[in-house]
Amino acid sequence: MKKTNLIGKYSNFLTKFRLPGLILVALTTVTLAVGLLRININPEMDIFMPKESKAIDLMEKSNLYFGNNQQIIAAVKIADDLELSQLSTENFEAIKSLQQKIETIANISFVSMPNNLNGITLHNNNVYAMFSIFPDENFDNNNMKELEELIANSSQEYAITGNIFLREKTNQYIISVLKFLPFTAFFLILLIFSLQLRSIKKAFLSIIPAIVAAVWTFGIIGWIGHEVSIITAIAPIFTIVIGSAAGLHYISHFSKYRETENNEVSNKKTIAATLMPIVITTATSGAGFISLLLMKASGISDLAIASTIGITLAGITTFTILPLILAGKMNFQQKANRSRASITLMKNSHGLPAIIFAVILISGGVFGSFYVKTNFTQLSMFKKSTEVYEGAQLIQELTGGKTPSYIILKTESDILDPINATAILNFQEELEKSEAVTRVFSTFQGLAQGQYPQTKEQASQKLSMISQKIPELSKHINTTENAARIIVFTRDSEHITIEEIKKLTENFSSKEAEIEAGITGFDILTDELNESVKPGLIKSLLLAFAIVFLMLLPILKSLKKVLISLLPVIITTLVLFGFIGITGITLNLITAAIFSITIGVGIDYAVHFSSAAEKEGCINHAFSVTSTPIIANSLGLAIGMSALFLSPFAIHTHLAILMWLTMIVSMLLTLTLLPTLLRKSYKKNTKLIPLVEEV
């Protein structure tokens, strides 16, 4: 009675102050929407990096000793169907001319161009010239665009790679994701809800709270100056797709009550009927995202916080904006209910068929889980059709190596001392002999040409003289800090390859007591990250299951029923592992995140079904009233997330695929296995209530 009175007072308050309330919501939305224009993009890859890492600390030291020294590598086709020996003087003049044009671009320090046949490569009957371009610290996206345009005008076929180029393209891709994909998700959800509710007006109203929540969330991000990354760029889609379920639930109940009651009474009854279910499902969805905070990467933490805020705001705005709108004059025409063959089919699958289906899924999940790989790489983030992927792939083929790693050397004595140089050169020879390495470069190579100087003073003079001709040579040694670095191109980015390089570096460091050595680089960092994904995932899953378990226990009031209700999500999680293993999708931060999200979102179906069964004490009635909403919601979520198929990022596409799988499997298990296992817990299960659509 107390709860009913509070809801009545709340509904009366919204009705009384409807116009001021709508004006306040509008002003808040407009104010926060301005923040969208202030959003800053973070295209850096460090959002994927572990929060604590020796390799990160070493990378910071490397930047301190040698500067960022980020170069851009460009491959330009200069001839086709020619052997290298057939290149003419005109070809070399064209290369020289392009170099001179590149050097005219502002904020470029120097350009290392092919010398004779050094840096000119034959690939698939095409001759490519390789340019190493070294920008200064003021080089920006506008300079990068100018460089890209210049190279594009010089040749019909070219490729560009490098962290600066990668950042510029990633920045463009993230902006395109933010501009277009949330709208795509909105129209997809509108389509599905329109079919479900058989009314575009109802469908549009259902989505309004989630749209407002997405605007508010990212408006706040813009106003506080927090950056949006490749990971957090999908938070608005999660907010719209997952958050719109609350609006659908509210509008469905309101339209039913509106058949016999006026708007004011319908609002009161709708709030009373939907408050606890929406609060619980919002909380469980948020729990799935919050558990991601245990993953060791800042980008995932940002996604967890932004999505949780967005989904929570969607729940809040459902009980503010929709009652305010619906308190006015608005007529809903309820169309006739209809039975669906898919619902009948699932009802007929209760019992032994449901158990067989679950056993097949479990078997497939167990089998595929043995083939799960954690092999995240920088290039794997992008679709193969993107300019970033195609360019990096071509240059990797031309250079015969992957992203370089850096071995940082530090000594208390003079780094140029012949004793230190001899040890470093021997170490470099050892690296070159390793099958894990394709190419090695260091300043000491240039100093050792002919013969390494006999004294450190002579070595210093030779370094100064050589650096005038080859400026790049001096960028890998710091005589003030007595530090140097060796650039290593590995065979691949596999864990076994990285471990071999690490072992060689550790052995050298322990053998040469005077020289401290450590290895860093993007491949080293991602290897550390890959190794941390599974432990982080396990912690995240345990936390998500624990939170959901504690939420379900007071609702179902039975340990047995709670454990049974968790089974569909547990099996779905296992199926996810199997699917990832069988299809070859790598387990990385993004794909790992879907596991916790699955628990938070997928458990909603079990909550709806188990709550209905607990309330009525009848499995058949629970199935009758929840089957259609559960099917509609699962399809809505899956189809809404399909907007990510249009993203240029492969990791977004994988997320959409896995979302489809988890929603469909969770729905099928909730409507087949769960009734089968819960049936014995209730006595009123003899007669099936007619299957009608709950809207």
Side-chain angles (χ1 to χ4, degrees), residues 179-194:
K179 279 185 176 180
F180 302 112
L181 297 198
F183 292 101
T184 304
F186 164 75
F187 286 113
L188 289 172
I189 291 291
L190 182 65
L191 173 64
I192 297 303
F193 283 9
S194 295

Side-chain angles (χ1 to χ4, degrees), residues 636-656:
L637 287 175
I639 293 174
M641 293 302 294
S642 296
L644 291 176
F645 284 120
L646 301 178
S647 170
F649 297 107
I651 52 177
H652 290 171
T653 300
H654 294 160
L655 188 65

Side-chain angles (χ1 to χ4, degrees), residues 411-446:
T411 179
E412 295 300 321
S413 59
D414 195 315
I415 192 69
L416 293 175
D417 189 290
I419 296 176
N420 291 331
T422 300
I424 293 170
L425 288 168
N426 289 337
F427 175 44
Q428 190 166 326
E429 287 182 12
E430 189 177 357
L431 288 169
E432 290 171 340
K433 292 177 182 178
S434 172
E435 293 183 356
V437 176
T438 59
R439 190 155 56 95
V440 181
F441 170 80
S442 78
T443 301
F444 291 92
Q445 274 180 304

Side-chain angles (χ1 to χ4, degrees), residues 483-502:
R485 65 179 174 187
I486 299 175
I487 301 177
V488 181
F489 290 88
T490 56
R491 178 186 62 224
D492 51 49
S493 304
E494 296 292 333
H495 177 65
I496 188 171
T497 301
I498 301 301
E499 282 299 300
E500 183 173 343
I501 304 298
K502 282 184 177 180

